[in-house]
Amino acid sequence: MSYVDEVIEQVIVKYPDQPEFHQAVREVLNTIRVVIEADEEKFRKDALLERLVTPEREIKFRVSWVDDKGQVQVNNGYRVQFNSAIGPYKGGLRLHPSVNIGILKFLGFEQIFKNSLTGLPIGGGKGGSDFDPKGKSDREVMAFCQAFMTELYKYIGQDTDVPAGDIGTGAREIGYMFGQYKRLTTSYEGVLTGKGLSFGGSLARTEATGYGLIYITDEMLRCHGQSMAGKTIVVSGAGNVATYAIQKAQSLGAKVVTCSDSTGWIYDPDGIDVELLKDIKEVRRARLTEYKNARPNAEYHEGRGVWQIKCDIALPCATQNELHLDDAKQLVANGCYAVCEGANMPTTEDATQYLQDNGVIFIPGKAANAGGVATSALEMSQNSERLSWTFEEVDAKLKAIMENIYHNIDDTAKKYGMEGNYIAGANIAGFEKVLNAMTAQGIV
Ligand code: NDP
Ligand code: 2IT
């Protein structure tokens, strides 16, 4: 059996209850096969792939906090410090009831290659908890965040591991966690990114993932002789990534006609009203039914369904495995030109294959959503030099990083004889830098 297949098999046998991690490992290892098989025996002897798929450290801890009724609640907290070959661990904290070690390992593994693609010195990590922020009061969220950080602070630091936001973790949660870190350590340092602007946060970090997704999509379109203007776009999700992707796409002349949350979805033929969406989700923390109440022309549907709407471009921005084979078939039947992933691994394996087989341009999350973590790294730079850059300066750097990622994955795919296969281009380009650093640093 080839070395790549052996390691994929080992991961499945060793961690049978981590299907998302299997999926991420399969996708990466299958596409870096060309690099591995060029020197297979050396890599096997160095256990390079076993080291690549095994986190340097997995931390799991109890989080006890008191709810508004005086009841003690207990959650699991985690941090997966996956790979520090090219820099301190960097990656978000997910707060969602579905969080478990397998999901965090998939996210941490993806983060290694994504962070490498940004060109910035950041390793891969991810963490979070099965805590559900939905329906909790501000005081309950604060109590949770303080209890979570009371354990996590031992393992992180500005030069060690720098967490940030992800699903369920936004500015409010980062603020509470930063306050508790400072209280515990008496150290005012850039230990988290996505901070508020008054305490070390970077301008444009809030917008960065969504804006970055549109910058890379726009560059891809430009290189294919097209542009954003006049395109119809379908977006899933209604959180941080979705909101700012919609905003930037519309500012470039596209019309975004959908968004969704975990209970339902909106079709707005006039184009999503971003200010209304922000008010509902960021201020009122309410459901999308409120959107329909304010926009009589829009439709609200329970459940999932955005992919059935005819579009030129589809941007999945909610969560993993939200775009299935049937959805891919529908997108192809409707003439969809490109799918660019704002979320991490939102497209299932069979759907991805179907889209690629049917000529749909596909930019994987680790390239397409890298603008968030890239801007986090810019926040770290600003914290280190005790300065704040202007919005325009950060935004211009973000745009340049996303354009560079597009050309890097495009060139790499061509170099390996897989022109247009941006999954292979992203995985190989991301991997090569990590491989180089791991090799230079010896067996650690
Ligand atoms: P948010 O929590 O801000 O928003 C998530 C959105 O997705 C919400 O609309 C949420 O609906 C919906 N959603 C979440 N889980 C599910 C689910 N299981 N089924 C259906 N809908 C769901 O998160 P972000 O926008 O920050 O993250 C979205 C995706 O982007 C994730 O995959 C994340 O890992 C990825 N990402 C985020 C980055 C960032 O900087 N924030 C950077 C790069 C990637 P509801 O509110 O009803 O739960
Ligand atoms: O998936 C991701 O890249 C993020 N959630 C952002 C991580 C970060 O450190 O900004």
Side-chain angles (χ1 to χ4, degrees):
M1 204 192 277
S2 80
Y3 180 38
V4 163
D5 292 324
E6 244 173 59
V7 173
I8 293 174
E9 190 57 36
Q10 275 171 27
V11 165
I12 295 169
V13 170
K14 226 167 159 177
Y15 309 106
D17 53 352
Q18 299 179 1
E20 294 87 0
F21 183 51
H22 305 166
Q23 187 180 340
V25 166
R26 240 185 336 254
E27 187 208 276
V28 171
L29 265 50
N30 274 324
T31 47
I32 63 169
R33 199 180 277 275
V34 283
V35 182
I36 299 301
E37 292 183 354
D39 203 357
E40 184 167 281
E41 284 321 305
K42 179 185 177 326
F43 290 134
R44 194 197 296 268
K45 191 146 183 261
D46 288 351
L48 188 269
L49 293 180
E50 288 87 339
R51 286 187 290 137
L52 193 69
V53 301
T54 307
E56 290 174 18
R57 205 166 292 104
E58 283 173 43
I59 301 150
K60 181 175 180 198
F61 48 90
R62 187 180 74 203
V63 186
S64 313
W65 55 281
V66 183
D67 73 15
D68 285 347
K69 297 193 188 92
Q71 174 66 48
V72 175
Q73 300 285 345
V74 179
N75 288 105
N76 293 318
Y78 307 87
R79 186 72 181 166
V80 177
Q81 298 181 331
F82 219 122
N83 190 304
S84 63
I86 66 171
Y89 311 106
K90 184 82 197 84
L93 295 170
R94 179 172 292 191
L95 300 182
H96 193 272
S98 65
V99 163
N100 59 44
I101 193 67
I103 287 182
L104 295 177
K105 278 175 67 184
F106 121 62
L107 290 163
F109 187 67
E110 289 284 289
Q111 200 83 44
I112 301 168
F113 309 99
K114 180 194 309 192
N115 293 5
S116 170
L117 284 172
T118 66
L120 300 166
I122 38 179
K126 201 84 187 190
S129 172
D130 55 4
F131 171 76
D132 186 359
K134 266 198 217 98
K136 303 290 190 299
S137 69
D138 279 352
R139 195 212 59 82
E140 288 175 322
V141 170
M142 181 174 75
F144 169 82
C145 289
Q146 292 181 340
F148 181 79
M149 186 52 83
T150 300
E151 192 61 28
L152 184 69
Y153 91 97
K154 300 166 189 166
Y155 311 103
I156 62 175
Q158 62 179 348
D159 297 316
T160 318
D161 183 353
V162 183
D166 193 77
I167 291 177
T169 306
R172 174 182 60 170
E173 291 74 19
I174 294 291
Y176 292 145
M177 288 183 198
F178 182 79
Q180 184 71 352
Y181 182 87
K182 183 165 62 73
R183 172 158 77 174
L184 291 165
T185 61
T186 60
S187 175
Y188 204 110
E189 59 180 274
V191 66
L192 294 161
T193 58
K195 300 183 292 296
L197 297 177
S198 55
F199 55 98
S202 174
L203 285 160
R205 176 60 188 90
T206 304
E207 296 84 354
T209 312
Y211 278 22
L213 172 64
I214 300 305
Y215 292 147
I216 196 170
T217 304
D218 192 38
E219 183 65 3
M220 176 276 290
L221 289 172
R222 199 183 61 76
C223 293
H224 287 78
Q226 303 203 33
S227 84
M228 247 335 153
K231 294 278 185 296
T232 299
I233 300 186
V234 159
V235 165
S236 65
N240 175 266
V241 181
T243 300
Y244 293 95
I246 296 171
Q247 185 179 75
K248 179 55 75 176
Q250 303 208 136
S251 78
L252 296 179
K255 188 198 265 189
V256 182
V257 292
T258 65
C259 62
S260 65
D261 64 16
S262 54
T263 41
W265 58 283
I266 291 288
Y267 171 59
D268 187 339
D270 302 329
I272 297 293
D273 179 338
V274 181
E275 289 314 311
L276 175 62
L277 184 65
K278 281 165 75 172
D279 182 53
I280 293 168
K281 287 295 176 185
E282 293 179 2
V283 182
R284 290 190 264 152
R285 298 182 191 275
R287 310 309 302 164
L288 282 177
T289 38
E290 302 281 317
Y291 185 96
K292 158 81 190 147
N293 296 341
R295 298 265 289 185
N297 248 357
E299 297 170 15
Y300 174 80
H301 302 273
E302 295 281 331
R304 51 194 297 288
V306 296
W307 314 122
Q308 64 191 260
I309 301 296
K310 187 170 164 53
C311 67
D312 301 307
I313 297 170
L315 305 175
C317 298
T319 192
Q320 66 273 1
N321 292 326
E322 53 155 322
L323 196 162
H324 308 155
L325 180 59
D326 284 349
D327 305 319
K329 289 181 176 166
Q330 184 77 64
L331 287 168
V332 169
N334 285 345
C336 174
Y337 179 73
V339 173
C340 306
E341 295 185 321
N344 285 307
M345 209 170 74
T347 315
T348 60
E349 281 172 297
D350 51 2
T352 306
Q353 192 62 50
Y354 187 86
L355 292 168
Q356 285 192 312
D357 289 348
N358 286 276
V360 177
I361 293 175
F362 187 91
I363 308 189
K366 63 172 74 66
N369 70 39
V373 75
T375 308
S376 279
L378 301 179
E379 182 171 329
M380 290 166 70
S381 299
Q382 293 169 77
N383 292 162
S384 295
E385 63 176 14
R386 304 278 194 264
L387 290 173
S388 300
W389 306 339
T390 63
F391 186 96
E392 289 69 26
E393 198 174 350
V394 180
D395 190 40
K397 284 189 165 68
L398 166 64
K399 189 163 188 283
I401 289 168
M402 297 314 294
E403 290 171 359
N404 188 47
I405 292 176
Y406 174 72
H407 291 287
N408 189 8
I409 67 175
D410 188 42
D411 292 346
T412 305
K414 284 181 186 146
K415 180 174 152 196
Y416 285 91
M418 293 183 268
E419 182 164 357
N421 184 344
Y422 299 134
I423 299 180
N427 288 336
I428 296 171
F431 170 65
E432 278 182 327
K433 181 177 175 188
V434 176
L435 169 65
N436 188 292
M438 284 178 75
T439 306
Q441 290 170 27
I443 305 304
V444 290

